[in-house]
Amino acid sequence: MSFFSKKSAKSQEDENQDALVALDIGSSKIRLIAGEVGEGGVLTLTYYAEQPSLGMDNGAITDLTKLSEQISLLIADYKENGRDMTHCYLGIAGRYIKSANLQGGTVIPSHIVTEDDRAHAIENAAANRFSEYQRFIHIIPQNYQIGDTKEITNPIGMTGQRLDVNIHMIACDEDQEQNLRSAIARISSEINVDHVIFNGIAAADAVLSEEDKEIGVCLVDWGGGSINVSLYDKSCLIHTFGLDYGGMRITRDIATRFGLPLVTAEYLKRNYGIAHPDLLTAKVRNTVLKVPVDPLYPNADSLYVSYEELARTIAVSMIDTFQQLHRRINNFIQSQSVHPSLGAGYVFTGGVANTKGLAQLAATKLVNENGIKPKVKTGVPRSVSCNFNQILPENITPDELSTNIICPTGATAIGLLRFGNALKEEEHRRYNVQNERRHSNSTLAKIYYWSKNWLSGEL
């Protein structure tokens, strides 16, 4: 389904200049979303549209021309609605990111920590490179240390001789990032990509609470083309990674098992998919589904699929994914000698999170070293309201559109806006600090030269 807007009778020029805009470029859908973050961090969505994704497969760009054409349809419609698009945020899949936890520090010349001291400590910690083909997209401080005081969250103004910092650094494949930027540049040279954001961080920012991060949580963003994972403990992001397949793997497994076209397999997965045959009721266990070869043409030839076999096929694919997820997390825990509590368990979001029974199956396959089943739930975007300023198709209402976005499927798109806003606010804060410092230095210089000239005259 595509959502498009027409020209609005009411001009929103002033509002649109401040609107945040993001493009969530997935393997199944491409979404353009706009909104504003207000008091209390509430995100108000003002625009949303989507198109089927072309030129993408398993989170990778396979045809830049097709991808740009699909994006251009969304941007053209956005502008047709009287909106101006000069800046945007883009997401990048986990298969193209690499992360590490690093340490660094600096001497505190004045013995009182300043913004410059903090910046120097972070810069020193981030001095390492993964490879010449990787570019840092996120440098996230975890905590600071001054003397024997550890796990400081904000060192500014504190007294000490040395400031140390632990950071989580995320780098992305430079070629993939450039390809994403090129997809936008082909459409217009006037649209600036402000940041490329890891989808796993975006989804986490959309659905996780600070309480979740404090007691430990693993966010799993399971989309059509890739899986993005973010692991938090004591409010710190400690691990990020991606798996290079998503919901399309399940679709292909269904297509292969039953000899179906991919479009029919996708239809079966979305409409009849369940995570395990044991979750089927006795009433439907022996049901045989009559499925049209092409769901777009219900009168076409039909095929017959066992409901139980469909569930079994989905289960095999999901279990393999859970095992790989569990293995990656355990390898990190053992290699880093960390012990995250995961008190909030696992939170699944993305399109695959809508699969019935996923939480129950995941809990049985993600047990910890003590054999205890973790908490598992589906994540829905938080603190979001909708105030759409667009004319919708006749077959959808604003409430229905809101429901289609404020759900696991819309987590990454919403998170790109929310995390992008946090980046924007941090840039403004740094800019203001630099301005104040320049003004202070200028004032001190004027006082110095005035005093020097006055003393020269007096003496």
Side-chain angles (χ1 to χ4, degrees):
M1 174 181 283
S2 296
F3 304 120
F4 290 107
S5 59
K6 303 303 177 186
K7 289 202 176 202
S8 171
K10 181 180 178 181
S11 172
Q12 296 291 321
E13 183 177 355
D14 293 337
E15 177 183 335
N16 295 332
Q17 287 177 352
D18 297 326
L20 301 165
V21 182
L23 278 163
D24 175 20
I25 303 174
S27 296
S28 301
K29 298 285 186 181
I30 302 173
R31 301 174 176 90
L32 191 153
I33 188 169
E36 300 172 346
V37 177
E39 294 183 6
V42 175
L43 174 62
T44 301
L45 301 181
T46 57
Y47 182 91
Y48 178 84
E50 64 182 37
Q51 277 281 356
S53 185
L54 297 177
M56 292 285 293
D57 186 32
N58 283 358
I61 298 176
T62 57
D63 190 323
L64 193 59
T65 299
K66 287 184 178 180
L67 177 60
S68 291
E69 288 173 352
Q70 293 300 94
I71 295 173
S72 68
L73 294 175
L74 291 173
I75 293 176
D77 188 73
Y78 185 78
K79 290 184 175 181
E80 184 183 350
N81 191 40
R83 297 166 179 265
D84 187 23
M85 182 171 173
T86 58
H87 297 267
C88 71
Y89 302 106
L90 295 180
I92 191 167
R95 64 178 296 182
Y96 290 107
I97 68 109
K98 186 175 182 180
S99 68
N101 295 320
L102 303 171
Q103 298 81 37
T106 186
V107 173
I108 308 170
S110 67
H111 301 305
I112 298 177
V113 180
T114 66
E115 290 276 357
D116 284 340
D117 296 327
R118 179 166 63 177
H120 288 157
I122 294 172
E123 182 180 349
N124 291 336
N128 299 307
R129 283 185 64 86
F130 295 124
S131 80
E132 60 180 317
Y133 304 110
Q134 299 281 343
R135 194 182 80 80
F136 297 132
I137 56 174
H138 301 298
I139 300 174
I140 302 174
Q142 296 171 319
N143 51 59
Y144 302 85
Q145 178 177 348
I146 301 175
D148 294 331
T149 306
K150 301 179 180 181
E151 298 187 359
I152 299 169
T153 57
N154 181 10
I156 301 300
M158 297 183 69
T159 301
Q161 296 183 352
R162 179 177 175 83
L163 174 68
D164 291 292
V165 62
N166 296 311
I167 65 170
H168 184 73
M169 186 179 300
I170 302 176
C172 74
D173 182 275
E174 197 167 13
D175 290 337
Q176 181 68 7
E177 182 201 14
Q178 187 55 49
N179 287 335
L180 287 170
R181 291 179 180 272
S182 295
I184 307 300
R186 284 188 172 204
I187 300 167
S188 172
S189 60
E190 297 179 354
I191 301 176
N192 296 310
V193 177
D194 291 337
H195 291 281
V196 173
I197 299 169
F198 169 45
N199 286 341
I201 289 183
D205 213 51
V207 306
L208 297 181
S209 67
E210 291 305 316
E211 289 76 13
D212 290 333
K213 296 176 183 179
E214 170 62 30
I215 63 176
V217 63
C218 182
L219 187 284
V220 183
D221 173 35
W222 198 341
S226 63
I227 299 173
N228 310 295
V229 182
S230 298
L231 183 63
Y232 293 83
D233 188 45
K234 297 179 180 178
S235 298
C236 297
L237 179 61
I238 62 172
H239 192 39
T240 49
F241 65 92
L243 300 176
D244 61 359
Y245 52 80
M248 279 303 298
R249 178 192 177 184
I250 301 173
T251 301
R252 291 183 183 279
D253 287 347
I254 295 171
T256 302
R257 170 65 181 81
F258 298 104
L260 299 173
L262 285 174
V263 64
T264 307
E266 181 70 15
Y267 171 83
L268 272 173
K269 182 185 74 175
R270 288 179 179 271
N271 292 277
Y272 300 100
I274 195 166
H276 198 278
D278 289 349
L279 301 173
L280 292 171
T281 63
K283 182 178 180 180
V284 301
R285 181 177 294 275
N286 298 320
T287 300
V288 175
L289 301 170
K290 182 180 179 181
V291 185
V293 174
D294 188 341
L296 297 178
Y297 299 95
N299 294 326
D301 294 339
S302 297
L303 296 172
Y304 295 89
V305 174
S306 163
Y307 209 149
E308 185 174 6
E309 280 302 306
L310 173 63
R312 196 178 309 281
T313 303
I314 293 173
V316 170
S317 186
M318 283 194 162
I319 289 171
D320 181 63
T321 300
F322 292 140
Q323 290 173 342
Q324 292 198 45
L325 176 65
H326 196 243
R327 190 180 306 117
R328 286 289 296 269
I329 293 174
N330 280 344
N331 287 344
F332 166 75
I333 290 173
Q334 293 172 10
S335 65
Q336 299 294 315
S337 298
V338 296
H339 303 282
S341 63
L342 289 184
Y346 291 79
V347 178
F348 283 83
T349 192
V352 180
N354 292 316
T355 306
K356 295 178 182 177
L358 179 143
Q360 295 95 311
L361 180 62
T364 66
K365 301 302 175 182
L366 297 172
V367 295
N368 64 20
E369 65 276 8
N370 297 320
I372 300 174
K373 292 182 180 180
K375 299 175 182 176
V376 180
K377 67 178 182 179
T378 300
V380 177
R382 58 187 176 80
S383 301
V384 181
S385 65
C386 297
N387 184 22
F388 296 115
N389 180 35
Q390 62 188 112
I391 298 175
L392 302 173
E394 294 180 357
N395 61 341
I396 190 166
T397 66
D399 287 343
E400 290 171 333
L401 180 55
S402 299
T403 301
N404 287 335
I405 303 171
I406 307 177
C407 65
T409 307
T412 297
I414 289 173
L416 288 173
L417 287 185
R418 193 187 296 280
F419 194 79
N421 180 72
L423 292 172
K424 182 179 178 181
E425 288 185 341
E426 176 63 15
E427 288 176 352
H428 285 171
R429 187 192 68 79
R430 290 179 182 175
Y431 177 79
N432 290 334
V433 168
Q434 290 172 357
N435 270 353
E436 290 176 2
R437 187 178 296 117
R438 282 195 293 266
H439 177 73
S440 175
N441 291 340
S442 175
T443 301
L444 289 173
K446 289 177 180 178
I447 293 173
Y448 169 77
Y449 286 114
W450 179 86
S451 299
K452 183 179 179 181
N453 292 335
W454 181 82
L455 287 172
S456 297
E458 289 295 312
L459 300 175

